Amino acid sequence: MNSALPFEWILAIRFMRQARMQTLLIMSGVALGVSVIVFISALISGLQTNLFKRTLDFQAQIIILPPKEISRPLHQAGDGAMLATLVQPRAQRLQSVDQWQTVLAQVAKMDGVSVAAPVVAGAGFIVRGEANKAVGLTGIEPETYLQLIALNSKIIAGTANITGTDMLVGLDLAKDLGVWTGDKLNLQTASGSTATLSIRGIFDYGNSGMNSRSVYIALRTAQSLLDLAGGVTSVEANLDAPFTAETVAQTIQAQTGLKVDSWIATNAQFFSALEAQSMSNTVIRFFVGLTAALGIASVLVVSVVQKSKAIGILRATGTSRRQILRLFLLQGALTGLIGSLLGAFVGWLFLSAWRNIAINADGTQLFPITFDPMLFVYAAVGATLVGILAALFPALQAARLDPAVAIRG
């Protein structure tokens, strides 16, 4: 079988077999390093994907708001002079996005925007007997809003398709008030408007705060309750590429003159934490790779010293410097490749074990981890390149050996 292999391959395999213990040890080191890289990378990727999903489940990626009302700090005196005055920040009243239908149509037609929806949001109270709960009201059009956030998938009873006489309440709020689907609740607002609505559905976001304070009603019902006839407090949109949200927000703001928030800007601290997490993962991978490279290099340096006479004889019998160079580069590449394949398999075993260990009380996974085949490919390619680079110095050292000196030594 070896006769079919190139000369360098035959010698590389023979050298590795002769130093079997050294080869096994360094391959084990590479395998352990690759398994750590695969496990940590998959773990952090799964965690970040889960965090992103949870964040985007609750909020739109782009939110267009009316500009804030501000108090003017200057007024003109009788003689024409401008006098500065100290003013308190003005209390913000509920106001509509100017010409929101035009803004909605404009945003919906933009490249990269997958869906846009009008929203009315304000404060209200739910009254049931002697119970009085302060809640946040969100008026929606189900056909578009249900594409913005994952409300449909959070419904545990009833349906999210509400009409003008329906409402959706959170699980915690339903438990506090002792109600369920089909029951009626009285909604009130600070302006004195009231409405009696039926509970069409109950949702569970897995977040006690949102489950106890969020109430969804039809857009027109919210407009009537909050004295915002024909208006909306925001236009919200989702994108095909969520990470372009800040750029798109700046474009919309420049075109409309309205206040535009992106989910990236709103969750700036969250992104800082994720960046720190990604940086720590990169540092870990770097040092693991460096350790593997030093291990391969040290073994091959020792191999060059041990086999200097053999290398001298090979050179004296016509073997070129390039062939000697390729011989040791092949050893490094094979060590990295075989070690990475073993490491990828061990990493897969670690991830499978983690799936069975990291579970919630109800038996579901703490967060989903997917086996991305490309992660294993990248690990194998990376380890092979590290093996080649680590072998470069020993290979050059071997290629430069003088045959006469090597044979005498």
Side-chain angles (χ1 to χ4, degrees), residues 219-287:
L219 186 72
R220 291 185 181 277
T221 305
Q223 290 171 334
S224 175
L225 281 171
L226 297 169
D227 289 336
L228 206 66
V232 299
T233 56
S234 65
V235 173
E236 303 184 2
N238 275 0
L239 308 175
D240 295 326
F243 290 100
T244 63
E246 187 59 29
T247 303
V248 174
Q250 292 174 5
T251 301
I252 296 173
Q253 186 163 323
Q255 291 177 355
T256 63
L258 297 169
K259 184 178 185 298
V260 184
D261 290 335
S262 74
W263 75 284
I264 294 175
T266 305
N267 299 280
Q269 291 184 339
F270 168 72
F271 267 89
S272 297
L274 288 183
E275 286 177 4
Q277 192 179 62
S278 298
M279 186 177 295
S280 64
N281 183 33
T282 302
V283 170
I284 291 171
R285 285 187 289 185
F286 171 76
F287 281 108

Side-chain angles (χ1 to χ4, degrees), residues 142-351:
E143 57 271 18
T144 53
Y145 190 80
L146 294 180
Q147 300 177 51
L148 279 176
I149 65 171
L151 182 57
N152 241 335
S153 63
K154 306 299 179 183
I155 297 294
I156 60 171
T159 177
N161 295 311
I162 55 176
T163 64
T165 58
D166 301 323
M167 64 192 303
L168 303 175
V169 300
L171 178 61
D172 290 38
L173 182 60
K175 287 180 177 179
D176 290 344
L177 296 175
V179 294
W180 204 246
T181 53
D183 293 336
K184 294 182 180 294
L185 290 174
N186 186 32
L187 272 179
Q188 296 181 2
T189 59
S191 64
S193 300
T194 63
T196 301
L197 305 176
S198 297
I199 299 176
R200 187 71 182 274
I202 294 174
F203 59 85
D204 181 11
Y205 276 126
N207 181 300
S208 180
M210 297 194 70
N211 284 348
S212 60
R213 291 194 302 269
S214 300
V215 173
Y216 295 95
I217 57 180
L219 186 72
R220 291 185 181 277
T221 305
Q223 290 171 334
S224 175
L225 281 171
L226 297 169
D227 289 336
L228 206 66
V232 299
T233 56
S234 65
V235 173
E236 303 184 2
N238 275 0
L239 308 175
D240 295 326
F243 290 100
T244 63
E246 187 59 29
T247 303
V248 174
Q250 292 174 5
T251 301
I252 296 173
Q253 186 163 323
Q255 291 177 355
T256 63
L258 297 169
K259 184 178 185 298
V260 184
D261 290 335
S262 74
W263 75 284
I264 294 175
T266 305
N267 299 280
Q269 291 184 339
F270 168 72
F271 267 89
S272 297
L274 288 183
E275 286 177 4
Q277 192 179 62
S278 298
M279 186 177 295
S280 64
N281 183 33
T282 302
V283 170
I284 291 171
R285 285 187 289 185
F286 171 76
F287 281 108
V288 169
L290 181 62
T291 303
L294 290 175
I296 294 173
S298 63
V299 167
L300 292 179
V301 166
V302 171
S303 178
V304 170
V305 173
Q306 291 176 338
K307 294 180 173 59
S308 58
K309 284 189 178 182
I311 294 168
I313 293 171
L314 288 170
R315 290 283 291 115
T317 55
T319 305
S320 67
R321 292 182 185 274
R322 286 189 177 182
Q323 286 178 309
I324 297 296
L325 184 68
R326 287 196 292 268
L327 164 63
F328 283 91
L329 289 178
L330 268 173
Q331 289 186 67
L334 288 172
T335 301
L337 178 61
I338 297 171
S340 68
L341 294 176
L342 291 173
F345 177 69
V346 174
W348 177 80
L349 291 178
F350 285 164
L351 290 172

